[in-house]
Amino acid sequence: MSDDESAEGAMDANPRPVTLLGLDGVSWSFVEELLDNADVPALTGLVDRSSRGVTKSTVPCLTCPALPAMYTGMNPGNLGIFEFIKPNGDIVTYDDITYPAIWDYLESVNENVVVSAMRTTHPAPQVNGAFISDVLSPEEEPEFVTPSSERERGERFHQFRDELEHQKKTGLDDDLLSTFVKMNAERSEVMLELLDEYDPAFACLWFGLADGVQHYFWDDRESLYEFFEAFDPYLSDILDSRDGDIVVVGDHGFGPTRDYQFHLNEALRREGYLELAGGPIQRAFTKAAYWFSETVMTDELKRTVLGVLDRFRNLTDNDSGGEQDNNLNDIVITPFDDLPGIDWNATVAHASTRKGWGINIVKDSTTADIDELRREVIAALDSLQTPHGNPVIKDAWFGEELYPGRYVDQVPDIVILADDHVRPRPSIFGKLFTDMNPGNYVGAHDSAREAVVMAAGDSIDPETTVGDSNIWDLTPLLLNRIGLPVPERVDGNVPKALRRDDTATNRYPVEHVRIDKGISQLDTTKL
């Protein structure tokens, strides 16, 4: 029996339609606040008939890598995607996704899908049905809709994009909220038309503007309520239009913007794990350079400078040839082991990611047991408090425990989740904390790992609790609810409370593998 035949044979004779509603950045605390304070009858009714739980996002808690992990069922340690930006300075695209997505599994058994507003999916893949990617610039990223016959709907989907981006830069006012509302309404209309035309076995409707409106109006609760009240009638129409199961998920939570920068390498220096190079004059110069970087340079300028340096480093490595040249395309986390001003012979631990979510042990500088040393570093950070009096870190893991997989050798030795009010930075200039000026962003989610997940359907008991699950459990869950076996290769698992029956696993006929910079579909028997 071929893989193709076994996959189809394992499928239910009458697959159950499943709809995934993505509420980007929505947590249970915010849902409960909406139920108490806003006029959202459709959301209230859905919550009442749903089994509920918490889905844990990736660390850092960003839409990318969270969404690729969600729609592939793979953790970032296997995907090799940890942030929006790759080591070469480019933005992650769908060409960088090296495992099948849920719509690939459905296409392999000839089932229709509708996917709309999903980020990190440009260029849009060909599917049985329709696919609209959420992109930042339709002009610069034109391949955002398939098939080509849906181009008009795709254009409507993004028609307010330029207006929205302009208003974000000019300040917060009623016009910005109005644009969020009307753009979300137009997208909802397009989604309803696609559902009616294709009647898909699986629909993934991602409401990414729920994230944007929280970024800009987090401290204006009435505006947030207004946005979700305007969305509620569309939610009602979507629920009325679909049979089968409804699954709702957020890719991360949300919270207030950070008040302080936490200078992680400074903390490690004070605890004796990091040493500056040179004498007093060189050390003073090093601290002054870090101070200038963190207090004078904008984030945009720093990203530009670092991007130029990365490209220069890659070009230099390419010109030099040798073994390093062959490994350049396999780098998934920007190397951060060449920070200036550090005495690497005397340093045993340092921040290893630009956003400060990882720490590496310099193994050549210590004879200590590495695991014991990692526990010691975590304990030292655990003892620190923010100016608010909270622990600086909410959680910490050994990297290989959180993100096992083919890129585990690049995962930091320690992965940390910081307090909501602090932004870790890999800087050193004599202070643990400095004030932040977030600009128009008044809400943030870098440390908001817990998001909503709930499911409703005829065979789902609302009295049961889903419990905690990982964001990469969503693909196995959705396939199981549809009636398809779970791919053998995925990292995720079907939450027990939502499992339709004993979970079957199978090897599917479609796999994605990296070939140069593109993706090629191959029969698994040839892998």
Side-chain angles (χ1 to χ4, degrees):
M1 181 182 295
S2 71
D3 288 330
D4 193 23
E5 290 170 340
S6 64
E8 290 202 51
M11 187 172 179
D12 283 356
N14 296 301
R16 184 178 183 83
V18 172
T19 303
L20 175 67
L21 298 177
L23 299 182
D24 201 308
V26 171
S27 65
W28 269 114
S29 60
F30 185 62
V31 169
E32 291 165 354
E33 182 180 341
L34 286 173
L35 301 186
D36 289 340
N37 297 284
D39 182 17
V40 285
L43 179 61
T44 301
L46 180 58
V47 171
D48 287 344
R49 62 188 180 93
S50 293
S51 176
R52 286 157 274 175
V54 171
T55 191
K56 298 293 186 71
S57 186
T58 52
V59 179
C61 311
L62 304 172
T63 295
C64 183
L67 287 188
M70 184 198 77
Y71 63 66
T72 62
M74 307 301 294
N75 89 80
N78 269 315
L79 287 173
I81 294 172
F82 295 86
E83 297 181 13
F84 278 101
I85 306 298
K86 297 183 292 186
N88 68 358
D90 293 338
I91 295 176
V92 171
T93 72
Y94 195 56
D95 286 338
D96 299 302
I97 308 302
T98 57
Y99 286 93
I102 182 171
W103 40 85
D104 294 311
Y105 298 121
L106 285 158
E107 183 184 26
S108 72
V109 292
N110 300 314
E111 286 296 332
N112 269 12
V113 302
V114 164
V115 181
S116 62
M118 182 58 63
R119 297 178 69 181
T120 64
T121 58
H122 179 271
Q126 296 289 335
V127 295
N128 291 326
F131 200 110
I132 301 176
S133 303
D134 193 359
V135 294
L136 293 178
S137 173
E139 292 77 20
E140 296 178 12
E141 303 170 281
E143 299 174 6
F144 63 84
V145 57
T146 59
S148 58
S149 58
E150 292 297 349
R151 186 75 190 186
E152 185 272 334
R153 285 192 177 113
E155 296 288 353
R156 285 171 51 202
F157 204 84
H158 289 291
Q159 67 175 310
F160 299 112
R161 169 69 70 187
D162 291 344
E163 182 180 345
L164 184 70
E165 293 306 311
H166 173 73
Q167 290 172 350
K168 285 178 181 179
K169 296 174 183 177
T170 57
L172 306 183
D173 54 28
D174 291 341
D175 289 340
L176 177 60
L177 178 63
S178 175
T179 303
F180 269 118
V181 169
K182 69 181 180 182
M183 186 172 180
N184 198 57
E186 187 65 30
R187 290 185 167 194
S188 300
E189 294 281 4
V190 171
M191 291 177 187
L192 285 164
E193 292 173 15
L194 292 172
L195 293 177
D196 181 61
E197 180 162 337
Y198 291 93
D199 189 25
F202 172 65
C204 175
L205 313 179
W206 197 263
F207 292 92
L209 296 176
D211 176 285
V213 77
Q214 291 182 85
H215 271 305
Y216 289 92
F217 292 96
W218 182 257
D219 58 356
D220 180 357
R221 311 311 276 184
E222 293 302 321
S223 290
L224 290 184
Y225 301 157
E226 183 177 338
F227 175 86
F228 283 92
E229 287 175 346
F231 168 61
D232 200 70
Y234 292 105
L235 174 61
S236 177
D237 289 342
I238 290 169
L239 297 177
D240 289 344
S241 71
R242 295 290 288 166
D243 296 324
D245 295 340
I246 302 292
V247 178
V248 180
V249 69
D251 55 337
H252 51 72
F254 233 94
T257 191
R258 283 72 53 91
D259 298 318
Y260 304 96
Q261 296 194 107
F262 166 57
H263 302 289
L264 179 55
N265 273 336
E266 175 66 23
L268 294 173
R269 186 192 69 81
R270 293 188 183 192
E271 296 294 332
Y273 299 110
L274 182 148
E275 293 288 340
L276 294 180
I281 294 176
Q282 182 178 343
R283 294 184 181 198
F285 179 80
T286 296
K287 290 181 180 180
Y290 278 109
W291 175 87
F292 180 82
S293 171
E294 295 298 337
T295 60
V296 177
M297 294 178 67
T298 65
D299 283 349
E300 184 176 2
L301 179 57
K302 279 185 282 190
R303 283 194 295 269
T304 300
V305 171
L306 290 170
V308 170
L309 291 175
D310 285 338
R311 285 181 171 85
F312 177 77
R313 184 186 298 118
N314 287 347
L315 287 172
T316 303
D317 290 339
N318 274 321
D319 291 340
S320 65
E323 183 178 350
Q324 190 173 13
D325 175 53
N326 295 330
N327 293 332
L328 275 176
N329 289 334
D330 294 328
I331 295 174
V332 296
I333 299 180
T334 302
F336 220 46
D337 55 4
D338 56 356
L339 287 166
I342 294 178
D343 183 347
W344 292 104
N345 292 321
T347 292
V348 297
H350 69 97
S352 60
T353 61
R354 289 176 180 170
K355 289 184 176 291
W357 56 272
I359 296 170
N360 271 354
I361 302 299
V362 185
K363 298 174 180 63
D364 291 341
S365 299
T366 181
T367 58
D369 177 82
I370 300 302
D371 288 353
E372 185 59 36
L373 181 58
R374 288 194 285 183
R375 282 188 282 269
E376 185 181 301
V377 171
I378 291 171
L381 294 176
D382 233 350
S383 67
L384 300 177
Q385 290 191 333
T386 72
H388 287 283
N390 302 326
V392 166
I393 60 173
K394 295 196 288 188
D395 213 339
W397 304 263
F398 288 5
E400 69 275 14
E401 294 174 352
L402 186 64
Y403 291 145
R406 61 176 175 164
Y407 293 103
V408 68
D409 60 323
Q410 295 190 46
V411 175
D413 293 316
I414 301 170
V415 176
I416 64 171
L417 185 68
D419 177 74
D420 293 340
H421 295 277
V422 299
R423 176 193 187 192
R425 300 293 296 161
S427 42
I428 316 156
F429 58 89
K431 292 184 178 181
L432 280 181
F433 303 97
T434 53
D435 292 339
M436 276 193 66
N437 178 15
N440 286 340
Y441 265 30
V442 293
H445 52 72
D446 296 56
S447 297
R449 194 175 180 219
E450 296 188 351
V452 62
V453 65
M454 58 180 168
D458 292 343
S459 62
I460 297 175
D461 183 358
E463 298 301 320
T464 63
T465 300
V466 178
D468 288 355
S469 58
N470 289 311
I471 190 72
W472 50 87
D473 291 330
L474 263 293
T475 284
L477 165 62
L478 295 167
L479 290 170
N480 178 256
R481 295 304 305 178
I482 292 168
L484 279 171
V486 175
E488 292 177 346
R489 176 176 256 181
V490 298
D491 295 323
N493 297 289
V494 182
K496 185 176 180 181
L498 299 178
R499 190 179 300 162
R500 285 189 64 180
D501 46 37
D502 290 337
T503 306
T505 61
N506 197 35
R507 190 174 173 91
Y508 280 76
V510 58
E511 295 288 350
H512 281 188
V513 295
R514 188 185 301 271
I515 296 181
D516 295 327
K517 294 183 178 179
I519 300 300
S520 176
Q521 292 188 353
L522 299 180
D523 188 298
T524 54
T525 61
K526 299 178 182 178
L527 292 179

